[in-house]
Amino acid sequence: MTFEAGEAAMWRLVQRYTGRVGYRRGVKSEGLSANPPVIDCSGWTALLLTQALQTEGRPAGGSPAENEAASRSAASRMLFAVDDIDALHVWSDRIIHEIERRTGFILQAAEITAHTLPRCATIGLKMGDPAWAANHPRPRGITHIVQVVRRPEDDAPFVSEAFGGSVAPGISLTPLTEWLARSQPHILANEVWAVDAFRLGS
């Protein structure tokens, strides 16, 4: 099964917000309406996935009311359950946990390569032990999350992420191979996990 509509929906968000939104920990999608706009890593990933999965479950064309009626009458189009989508609106460690629990699929560390990753993988990383992470139980210690997206015209994979740092904080876009090379220290330390939210529709 392919998910061109969902992939295209994520790419539209990436094109709209990359380089235009800052980072602020604890701020979710509502931060995009702030002045200046801000968001954190889990908020950005949840927004990308929610838009993708909802787009795949929505009939093409028609008004919202017509689409809702069509959705009720065409169950085959309702690929993703509402509770699965709602479960993505949590912090980074829980997003990885919920997708793994609901799909039974996860890759870790050395299993993660450009060839083994799902087309639009969601990837969690343990990046140190910051004091702010102590407010929630984090069994894997995941403190950052990113989303693989696809450029429609050539299917090239990129990593989209919201990250706060000393250099260019905010939403950024990096070719997948470059991002994997940069993440090798975490991969070698068994501090990276990848899941596939699109398997929620299987």
Side-chain angles (χ1 to χ4, degrees), residues 18-198:
T18 298
R20 299 180 179 94
V21 175
Y23 177 88
R24 184 174 298 165
R25 180 168 46 84
V27 177
K28 309 308 176 188
S29 60
E30 69 277 2
L32 297 178
S33 300
N35 187 18
V38 291
I39 199 166
D40 73 359
C41 64
S42 57
W44 177 239
T45 297
L47 178 63
L48 288 170
L49 291 175
T50 296
Q51 188 66 41
L53 302 186
Q54 288 179 340
T55 298
E56 283 295 341
R58 184 183 305 130
S63 69
E66 289 169 341
N67 287 345
E68 183 178 349
S71 296
R72 287 196 301 267
S73 64
S76 62
R77 282 294 298 165
M78 298 305 292
L79 302 175
F80 300 97
V82 172
D83 63 332
D84 285 341
I85 297 175
D86 288 346
L88 303 176
H89 293 274
V90 287
W91 58 94
S92 54
D93 184 77
R94 293 296 301 180
I95 292 175
I96 298 298
H97 170 78
E98 289 294 339
I99 297 173
E100 177 198 10
R101 183 177 69 82
R102 293 160 188 263
T103 64
F105 173 85
I106 193 165
L107 298 175
Q108 181 176 358
E111 298 173 328
I112 297 172
T113 70
H115 301 293
T116 60
L117 279 171
R119 283 184 57 80
C120 293
T122 303
I123 306 171
L125 302 91
K126 179 182 180 186
M127 301 184 73
D129 295 294
W132 57 260
N135 63 336
H136 293 297
R138 294 173 183 257
R140 293 186 172 111
I142 292 172
T143 55
H144 186 53
I145 192 166
V146 308
Q147 180 61 43
V148 177
V149 296
R150 295 275 174 167
R151 186 165 60 193
E153 55 263 36
D154 59 3
D155 204 40
F158 291 82
V159 169
S160 180
E161 63 185 318
F163 187 75
S166 58
V167 180
I171 295 176
S172 64
L173 189 67
T174 309
L176 176 62
T177 53
E178 179 182 328
W179 187 89
L180 286 171
R182 198 169 65 200
S183 301
Q184 279 304 301
H186 294 290
I187 291 173
L188 293 173
N190 294 315
E191 295 175 341
V192 185
W193 297 264
V195 293
D196 183 5
F198 286 96

